[in-house]
Amino acid sequence: MGRVLSIDYGQKRVGFAVTDELQICAHALETVHVSQAFDFLKNYINRENVETIVVGEPKTMNNTHSDAARFIEPFVNRLKKEIKDIDIVRFDERFTSKMAFQTLIDAGVNRKTRANKALLDKISATIMLQGYLQYKETLRFKI
């Protein structure tokens, strides 16, 4: 069984999170500048056994694509074109940034650290990945 890697793609930075090989637990991996995202991803999947890549799908409250989708779609299209042997899945990323920020507050992280956008991006990717794992688990037990 391979790892699941999630991508929180933004206009400036891209947050990455990954599971363990048994796909039980999600943890933050890295945040890179958007221009380095594809190279980072290719290097990572060359070193590690990645089974699935989960890319955040930004949606509005009425379930339509948000404005951010126009920045993400070219990246997703490139993934699908160049990385054919790994499943690419889209997953709703609504509220992950707010949840990441609240997580830092709840953990007692100081204001200066909470302002670190790179930290928020990889926490957002982790929250999204954990949500994806929970979703997959519920599908397993549906009758």
Side-chain angles (χ1 to χ4, degrees):
M1 182 179 284
R3 297 176 189 273
V4 178
L5 184 132
S6 72
I7 302 172
D8 180 34
Y9 193 90
Q11 291 181 40
K12 295 179 182 177
R13 291 169 309 280
V14 179
F16 292 92
V18 69
T19 65
D20 57 289
E21 291 212 353
L22 296 176
Q23 299 181 9
I24 296 171
C25 183
H27 63 87
L29 183 61
E30 188 65 67
T31 301
V32 299
H33 188 272
V34 71
S35 65
Q36 301 168 331
F38 203 80
D39 289 337
F40 175 85
L41 179 61
K42 284 181 81 170
N43 287 334
Y44 187 82
I45 61 178
N46 284 334
R47 290 189 323 268
E48 299 290 339
N49 180 20
V50 176
E51 181 178 299
T52 305
I53 297 172
V54 178
V55 183
E57 188 168 31
K59 293 187 175 187
T60 63
M61 290 305 294
N62 65 1
N63 213 31
T64 60
H65 290 290
S66 75
D67 291 337
R70 66 186 168 137
F71 301 105
I72 298 169
E73 292 309 315
F75 180 79
V76 172
N77 290 337
R78 184 176 177 195
L79 278 179
K80 289 177 179 177
K81 189 178 192 181
E82 294 187 31
I83 303 175
K84 297 187 186 309
D85 55 338
I86 297 176
D87 291 332
I88 305 202
V89 177
R90 301 300 301 275
F91 194 73
D92 192 346
E93 66 173 29
R94 278 181 279 196
F95 305 116
T96 56
S97 294
K98 289 180 181 173
M99 291 168 63
F101 190 75
Q102 188 61 49
T103 299
L104 292 174
I105 290 172
D106 293 347
V109 173
N110 66 43
R111 189 179 305 248
K112 184 177 179 181
T113 304
R114 289 194 312 258
N116 179 349
K117 302 291 188 194
L119 178 60
L120 284 172
D121 290 337
K122 63 183 169 183
I123 292 173
S124 294
T126 307
I127 290 169
M128 180 177 51
L129 182 53
Q130 192 63 49
Y132 173 77
L133 292 175
Q134 290 168 339
Y135 170 75
K136 269 184 46 175
E137 192 66 18
T138 60
L139 291 180
R140 250 183 61 184
F141 292 107
K142 273 194 171 180
I143 298 174

